Amino acid sequence: MRKTLAEIRSMKAEGKKISMLTAYDSSMARLLSGCEIDILLVGDSLGMVMLGYDSTVPVTMDEMLHHTKAVRRGAPESFIIADMPFGANHTGERDAVKNGIRFLKEAGSDAVKLEGGLEMCGVVRALVQAGVPVMAHIGLTPQTASQLGGYKLQGKGLDDARRLLAEAKGLEEAGAFGLLLECIPDKLAQVITKSMKIPTVGIGAGVHCDGQVLVINDLLGMFDKFTPKFVKKYADLSPLIKESIQQYHTEVKAGTYPGTEHSFSSDADYSSLLRE
Ligand code: KIV
């Protein structure tokens, strides 16, 4: 059953952890929804994981909509959040609202997620007022990672931690229904989580968050360009996939695939056709 916003909010109050994973296509979304994952995130990480970009910056609205539609088709019963790609919410509230509404109307998402701190409060407020639920995302924000000095831990010092806490409170006040915390110390995530009524979902933010999210390809061991410290590989599928493909290749070359069990037969004598 698809979770409602109210149910997601009340999970925090009831001390129930939220499970969230990324999904980018219909068949994976179907598997995830069968495992009763609470929230599917069509993350703009798809730019790196699925589309081969070096960062999430080039990802477009059209690409995000395309993948979100596929995920919705695969998981009609799941609560789906779509990532606002870089540029979709940076040119003013009007554009942000227009793009947010496209995710709900055209792609069938239940909410959007956007990166940014206090500078995004106006945009969050405008989206929520327009009826688009927003999960905010602070800490390491990959779309602006170069300004943060790369993909590294945020909020290490007290000043930085104070800024992140102020951002969290500002975004909650602006109407965000949840807050994603990426790559910050676990004790800071604990303080932020305790200070908020809305649930926090962490990635590289320790165990005290109200929920956790991972990139599905990292969890399954299918993305081997790099593995951040916070990733736990629950499977190591890359070698298995490569082995299977290699075996197929060998069998095709040797003429041992397809076997009779993979072929269709008929009683007709087709050899007469050769003489026609
Ligand atoms: O795009 C993404 O996958 C994310 C991760 C932090 C989960 O935002």
Side-chain angles (χ1 to χ4, degrees), residues 20-22 24 41-46 56 83 113 115 137 140 142 180-182 203 213-215 230:
M20 173 160 140
L21 280 171
T22 64
Y24 312 117
L41 170 67
V42 188
D44 62 354
S45 51
L46 68 83
T56 56
D83 242 344
K113 174 170 84 57
E115 297 180 11
H137 176 164
L140 173 55
L180 193 145
L181 299 172
E182 179 164 358
I203 177 163
V213 59
L214 276 179
V215 167
F230 54 76

Coordinates of all heavy atoms in Angstrom, one line a residue, residues 20-22 24 41-46 56 83 113 115 137 140 142 180-182 203 213-215 230, ligand 1:
M20 N 14.4 3.9 2.7 CA 14.2 4.5 1.4 C 15.4 4.1 0.5 O 16.5 3.9 1.0 CB 14.3 6.1 1.6 CG 14.3 7.0 0.4 SD 13.8 8.6 0.9 CE 14.9 9.7 0.1
L21 N 15.1 3.8 -0.8 CA 16.2 3.4 -1.7 C 15.9 4.1 -3.1 O 14.8 4.5 -3.4 CB 16.2 1.9 -2.0 CG 16.8 1.0 -0.9 CD1 16.5 -0.4 -1.2 CD2 18.3 1.3 -0.9
T22 N 17.0 4.3 -3.8 CA 16.8 4.9 -5.1 C 16.3 3.9 -6.1 O 16.5 2.7 -5.9 CB 18.1 5.5 -5.7 OG1 19.0 4.4 -6.0 CG2 18.7 6.5 -4.8
Y24 N 15.5 3.7 -10.5 CA 15.6 4.5 -11.8 C 14.8 3.9 -12.9 O 14.7 4.5 -14.0 CB 17.1 4.5 -12.2 CG 18.0 4.9 -11.1 CD1 19.0 4.1 -10.6 CD2 17.9 6.2 -10.5 CE1 19.9 4.4 -9.6 CE2 18.8 6.6 -9.5 CZ 19.8 5.7 -9.0 OH 20.6 6.0 -8.0
L41 N 13.2 6.7 -4.2 CA 13.7 8.0 -4.6 C 14.2 7.9 -6.0 O 15.2 7.1 -6.3 CB 14.8 8.5 -3.7 CG 15.6 9.7 -4.1 CD1 14.7 10.9 -4.2 CD2 16.9 9.9 -3.3
V42 N 13.7 8.6 -7.0 CA 14.3 8.7 -8.3 C 15.3 9.8 -8.2 O 15.0 11.0 -8.4 CB 13.2 9.0 -9.4 CG1 13.8 8.9 -10.8 CG2 12.0 8.1 -9.3
G43 N 16.5 9.4 -7.7 CA 17.5 10.4 -7.4 C 18.2 10.9 -8.7 O 18.3 10.1 -9.7
D44 N 18.7 12.1 -8.7 CA 19.5 12.6 -9.9 C 20.8 11.9 -9.9 O 21.6 12.0 -10.9 CB 19.6 14.1 -9.9 CG 20.4 14.7 -8.7 OD1 20.7 13.9 -7.8 OD2 20.6 15.9 -8.8
S45 N 21.1 11.0 -8.9 CA 22.3 10.1 -9.0 C 22.2 9.2 -10.3 O 23.2 8.7 -10.7 CB 22.4 9.2 -7.8 OG 21.2 8.6 -7.5
L46 N 21.0 9.2 -10.9 CA 20.8 8.4 -12.1 C 21.7 8.9 -13.2 O 22.1 8.2 -14.1 CB 19.4 8.4 -12.5 CG 18.7 9.6 -13.0 CD1 18.9 9.9 -14.5 CD2 17.2 9.5 -12.9
T56 N 26.1 14.9 -11.1 CA 24.7 15.0 -11.3 C 24.3 16.3 -12.0 O 23.1 16.5 -12.4 CB 24.0 15.0 -9.9 OG1 24.5 16.0 -9.1 CG2 24.2 13.6 -9.2
D83 N 13.8 13.7 -7.7 CA 14.8 14.7 -7.5 C 14.6 15.9 -8.4 O 14.5 15.7 -9.7 CB 16.2 14.2 -7.7 CG 17.0 14.2 -6.4 OD1 16.7 14.9 -5.5 OD2 18.1 13.5 -6.4
K113 N 12.3 16.2 -4.2 CA 13.4 16.5 -3.3 C 14.3 17.6 -3.9 O 14.5 17.6 -5.1 CB 14.2 15.2 -3.0 CG 15.5 15.5 -2.1 CD 16.1 14.2 -1.7 CE 17.1 13.6 -2.7 NZ 18.2 14.4 -3.2
E115 N 18.0 20.1 -3.3 CA 19.2 20.3 -2.5 C 19.3 21.8 -2.2 O 18.9 22.7 -3.0 CB 20.4 19.9 -3.3 CG 20.5 18.5 -3.6 CD 21.8 18.1 -4.4 OE1 22.7 18.9 -4.5 OE2 21.8 16.9 -4.9
H137 N 17.2 18.7 1.3 CA 18.5 17.9 1.3 C 19.6 18.8 1.6 O 19.9 19.7 0.8 CB 18.6 17.2 -0.1 CG 19.8 16.4 -0.4 ND1 19.9 15.6 -1.4 CD2 21.0 16.4 0.3 CE1 21.1 15.0 -1.4 NE2 21.8 15.5 -0.4
L140 N 26.2 17.3 2.5 CA 26.8 17.2 1.2 C 25.8 17.2 0.1 O 24.9 16.3 0.1 CB 27.6 15.9 1.1 CG 28.3 15.5 -0.3 CD1 29.1 16.7 -0.8 CD2 29.0 14.3 -0.2
P142 N 25.4 17.1 -3.7 CA 26.3 16.7 -4.9 C 26.2 17.8 -6.0 O 27.1 18.0 -6.7 CB 25.7 15.4 -5.3 CG 25.2 14.8 -4.1 CD 24.6 15.9 -3.3
L180 N 16.6 15.2 4.1 CA 17.7 14.3 3.8 C 19.0 14.9 4.3 O 19.3 16.0 4.0 CB 17.7 14.0 2.3 CG 18.6 12.7 2.0 CD1 18.0 12.0 0.8 CD2 20.0 13.1 1.6
L181 N 19.8 14.1 5.1 CA 21.0 14.5 5.6 C 22.1 13.7 5.0 O 22.1 12.5 5.2 CB 21.1 14.4 7.1 CG 20.1 15.1 8.0 CD1 20.1 14.7 9.4 CD2 20.3 16.6 7.8
E182 N 23.0 14.3 4.2 CA 24.0 13.5 3.5 C 25.4 13.9 4.1 O 25.8 15.0 4.1 CB 24.0 13.8 2.0 CG 25.1 13.0 1.3 CD 24.9 12.9 -0.2 OE1 23.8 13.4 -0.7 OE2 25.7 12.3 -0.9
I203 N 22.1 9.6 4.7 CA 23.0 8.8 3.9 C 24.4 9.2 4.3 O 24.7 10.4 4.1 CB 22.7 8.9 2.4 CG1 23.7 8.1 1.6 CG2 22.6 10.4 1.9 CD1 23.3 7.8 0.1
V213 N 18.7 6.1 3.5 CA 18.6 5.9 2.1 C 20.0 5.5 1.5 O 21.0 5.9 2.1 CB 18.1 7.2 1.4 CG1 19.0 8.4 1.6 CG2 17.9 7.0 -0.1
L214 N 19.9 4.6 0.5 CA 21.1 4.3 -0.2 C 20.8 4.3 -1.7 O 19.7 4.1 -2.1 CB 21.7 2.9 0.2 CG 22.5 2.8 1.4 CD1 22.9 1.3 1.7 CD2 23.8 3.6 1.3
V215 N 21.9 4.4 -2.5 CA 21.7 4.2 -3.9 C 21.7 2.7 -4.2 O 22.5 1.9 -3.8 CB 22.9 4.8 -4.7 CG1 23.0 4.4 -6.1 CG2 22.9 6.4 -4.5
F230 N 30.2 5.1 3.6 CA 28.9 4.8 4.3 C 28.1 3.7 3.5 O 27.1 3.2 4.0 CB 28.0 6.0 4.3 CG 27.8 6.8 3.0 CD1 26.9 6.3 2.1 CD2 28.5 7.9 2.8 CE1 26.8 7.0 0.9 CE2 28.3 8.6 1.6 CZ 27.4 8.1 0.6
Ligands
KIV1 O1 20.3 11.5 -6.0 C1 20.4 10.7 -5.1 O2 20.4 9.5 -5.3 C2 20.5 11.2 -3.8 C3 21.2 10.4 -2.7 C4 21.7 11.2 -1.6 C5 20.3 9.3 -2.1 O3 20.1 12.3 -3.5

